Amino acid sequence: VIVDMTEQEQEPFLRSRYVSQNDKFSTVALKDARARSHVRQWRALWQCHKHFVHLERTNKEPYDTFLKLRDDSLILHDWTIREETYSGQAVFKACNAFQGLNDKVTVLDARYGYAFFARPILDWYFTFTPLDEAVDRMKNPESYLLAVMRHHHVKVHRVGPDSMPTITSR
């Protein structure tokens, strides 16, 4: 287990269109705060990816899959993740996707690790325009993640809650 205590950027760069399309809050200040939390989340995922790359190089053993859980996740019962579940795709829960992808729990083929963990923040800073033009409304992190996955040709598969027996406490 690696605990990365890297300090999060307090005022990350915001894209005005993303902030203005946020439909959860009505005030600009709350929309800005929410968008900043999304950018910090994507940066944290990128930090994870850098650790994966380092460990693969150090151990000279590539990963075949990644399981991403939120820190407040609970696994409700025994859960075996079989290769046929994730091979060649990224698997997300179909519920609470808010017109995008619910990333509270994700199982993905390691070939998509870079697209899932690194590209959200890298695209935010460097290649947002093609994503922005391809999507009518990116109003939340779920819809942004779907746009990123499509942009990077990730095969996405959505499953019901019985296939991913997890819940989050927040």
Side-chain angles (χ1 to χ4, degrees), residues 58-76:
T58 300
N59 298 334
K60 296 179 177 49
E61 187 71 34
Y63 290 102
D64 64 347
T65 187
F66 292 111
L67 167 65
K68 185 257 185 196
L69 295 168
R70 277 184 23 170
D71 61 348
D72 65 338
S73 294
L74 301 170
I75 299 174
L76 300 174

Side-chain angles (χ1 to χ4, degrees), residues 1-4 42-69 106-119:
V1 173
I2 295 173
V3 178
D4 187 331
W42 301 325
R43 183 160 181 133
L45 288 173
W46 181 52
Q47 289 295 119
C48 286
H49 184 264
K50 292 192 296 186
H51 289 295
F52 299 148
V53 170
H54 173 74
L55 288 170
E56 281 184 328
R57 287 181 185 152
T58 300
N59 298 334
K60 296 179 177 49
E61 187 71 34
Y63 290 102
D64 64 347
T65 187
F66 292 111
L67 167 65
K68 185 257 185 196
L69 295 168
T106 306
V107 180
L108 59 144
D109 190 309
R111 77 177 91 175
Y112 296 128
Y114 179 71
F116 179 81
F117 288 100
R119 288 316 311 191

